[in-house]
Amino acid sequence: MRLVRRHPLPAAVLLCALAVLAARPADGGDVGGDAGGHVPGHGSASGLGTEVVRLYEEAEAATRTYEQGRREAEKQRAQAQRLEKLLDRERRRTDALNEDLGRIARSQYRSGGGLPLTAHMLLADNPEEVMRGQRALWKADLALDNAIEKSVRAEKRLARDERKAAAAWKRLDQRNQQLAAVKSGIEQKLEAARWKLQGQADASVAAGACRGAVRLDQPETRYDNPWVAPVEAYELSASYGSGGARWANRHTGQDFAVPIGTPVRAVGAGRVVKVSCHGAFGIEVVVEHAGGYYTQYAHLAAAAVDQGERVRTGQWIGQSGTSGNSTGPHLHFEVRVTPEMGSAVDPVPWLARRNVSLR
């Protein structure tokens, strides 16, 4: 039973399994210890394993396309928003020009324009004043003509930019539809890949035998602390000491709710002392650390290490799953004083004393 207690997962849960990248099947055969023999006829370099690898590679390529498209869509959105701001300014300028035209027209109407210049001079007491007034009218006419021309240009520019902004928003809408299709494709491919991987794990557990380690193409990562959490992004679920019908006594570890295929990390440097693929824990890995402590990683969908192998802090040692006695995808993590169950201590304060705070 996995009762979720906290929720610090990042929003992009969809893409977390992609960190696995391409799982390269190993050349190794049987795993030692209590793992049993190799599953006959199901080598890690063929069949279902190859299909899972192909699906992960396709999902990775689709994610790159999605991220590139998302960045382009954001640029288009910013451009469309800039055009809208420009349009607002142009609309305000056009309104101001129209007001100016109205004032000029009203001024000419009040000035009594329309009588011939000769009639004005004959009726006026001071012809010079008439000439000065006429010159003012000419200037007013010129201003009116200029204002009309400027207004016409502004209207054309406004119409052009409105068409440009509408086209930008249309392109953005089309891009968003394309991104939605890409995202849907990623979700479908990942879901298929995860459950194919889990099906392979269930077959191993049913046969009581492990396949060779599935080597993961892990990016180079440096850690400031010699200890890390067993998974990078997670929700804490069932805790150490909690009760439930699925456990004979009390829960002996800390559960991390993560999707199938999530990379599982060695919390510290050490040596793999056990890789097992049967029983209640399903596929599990146990690592011995300096100081006499052991860490267990259970319910995996795949192991990425072999027994006897040395591992470094943060190295991917498997992929999370829901094998064995499990009701849903999660990592069961234990800290023990011996390699075997029954010697577990609470892993949360144990990690805290090593400057690893689980949130």
Side-chain angles (χ1 to χ4, degrees), residues 274-299:
K274 181 180 181 182
V275 179
S276 176
C277 299
H278 62 80
F281 287 120
I283 298 178
E284 64 170 320
V285 173
V286 178
V287 177
E288 180 184 14
H289 304 281
Y293 286 100
Y294 300 79
T295 54
Q296 180 215 29
Y297 313 80
H299 302 311

Side-chain angles (χ1 to χ4, degrees), residues 34-37 39 203-210 277-278:
D34 65 351
V39 178
S204 294
V205 172
C210 289
C277 299
H278 62 80

Side-chain angles (χ1 to χ4, degrees), residues 94-135:
T94 301
D95 290 341
L97 285 173
N98 289 332
E99 289 181 6
D100 289 341
L101 286 174
R103 282 196 299 270
I104 293 172
R106 288 192 297 272
S107 174
Q108 283 193 314
Y109 177 79
R110 285 194 299 269
S111 69
L115 282 176
L117 176 58
T118 305
H120 276 289
M121 294 183 68
L122 290 173
L123 296 173
D125 294 333
N126 189 340
E128 290 183 3
E129 291 183 1
V130 173
M131 290 301 295
R132 286 196 296 271
Q134 190 63 38
R135 282 194 294 271

Side-chain angles (χ1 to χ4, degrees), residues 20-343:
V20 176
L21 303 178
R24 296 198 303 269
D27 296 330
D30 300 349
V31 176
D34 65 351
H38 198 69
V39 178
H42 288 82
S44 60
S46 62
L48 184 56
T50 303
E51 176 70 5
V52 171
V53 170
R54 185 184 65 80
L55 286 170
Y56 269 110
E57 288 173 345
E58 287 186 7
E60 181 189 359
T63 298
R64 288 196 298 268
T65 301
Y66 174 84
E67 287 299 316
Q68 180 181 358
R70 184 185 58 79
R71 289 190 292 269
E72 291 175 359
E74 288 302 318
K75 291 179 182 177
Q76 289 182 5
R77 180 181 298 278
Q79 175 65 14
Q81 289 172 342
R82 284 194 296 270
L83 286 174
E84 286 292 342
K85 290 180 180 179
L86 289 173
L87 285 174
D88 286 340
R89 287 201 293 268
E90 288 183 13
R91 291 186 185 105
R92 289 194 294 270
R93 278 200 301 267
T94 301
D95 290 341
L97 285 173
N98 289 332
E99 289 181 6
D100 289 341
L101 286 174
R103 282 196 299 270
I104 293 172
R106 288 192 297 272
S107 174
Q108 283 193 314
Y109 177 79
R110 285 194 299 269
S111 69
L115 282 176
L117 176 58
T118 305
H120 276 289
M121 294 183 68
L122 290 173
L123 296 173
D125 294 333
N126 189 340
E128 290 183 3
E129 291 183 1
V130 173
M131 290 301 295
R132 286 196 296 271
Q134 190 63 38
R135 282 194 294 271
L137 285 174
W138 289 337
K139 291 181 180 179
D141 286 339
L142 182 60
L144 178 59
D145 292 341
N146 289 338
I148 292 173
E149 184 179 354
K150 191 174 182 180
S151 178
V152 169
R153 288 199 304 269
E155 291 287 352
K156 289 181 179 179
R157 184 170 59 249
L158 179 60
R160 181 197 64 206
D161 289 345
E162 283 178 338
R163 289 193 298 270
K164 189 175 180 181
W169 284 114
K170 184 178 180 180
R171 288 194 302 272
L172 178 61
D173 184 61
Q174 291 172 344
R175 169 56 67 181
N176 286 339
Q177 291 178 14
Q178 292 170 357
L179 293 182
V182 170
K183 182 179 179 182
S184 176
I186 291 174
E187 290 173 343
Q188 293 174 12
K189 289 178 185 297
L190 274 177
E191 192 67 10
R194 286 167 178 161
W195 287 107
K196 282 180 180 290
L197 187 65
Q198 184 59 48
Q200 189 179 40
D202 292 339
S204 294
V205 172
C210 289
R211 307 168 190 274
V214 177
R215 300 298 175 178
L216 306 180
D217 188 10
Q218 181 175 2
E220 187 66 29
T221 306
R222 296 179 181 274
Y223 298 98
D224 295 331
N225 190 21
W227 301 91
V228 296
V231 284
E232 185 173 357
Y234 54 85
E235 291 180 355
L236 293 178
S237 51
S239 58
Y240 177 84
S242 57
R246 299 192 65 82
W247 308 305
N249 296 300
R250 309 292 286 180
H251 193 230
T252 54
Q254 173 63 58
D255 285 352
F256 296 78
V258 288
I260 294 170
T262 300
V264 173
R265 310 185 292 191
V267 297
R271 183 176 65 89
V272 178
V273 296
K274 181 180 181 182
V275 179
S276 176
C277 299
H278 62 80
F281 287 120
I283 298 178
E284 64 170 320
V285 173
V286 178
V287 177
E288 180 184 14
H289 304 281
Y293 286 100
Y294 300 79
T295 54
Q296 180 215 29
Y297 313 80
H299 302 311
L300 302 176
V305 290
D306 289 319
Q307 187 167 309
E309 187 174 331
R310 301 293 304 183
V311 295
R312 64 187 184 280
T313 299
Q315 179 177 335
W316 291 353
I317 59 175
Q319 292 169 261
S320 64
T322 182
S323 60
N325 186 15
S326 169
T327 59
H330 72 286
L331 169 69
H332 175 86
F333 173 73
E334 285 190 18
V335 175
R336 301 170 174 175
V337 295
T338 74
E340 307 303 327
M341 66 177 299
S343 62

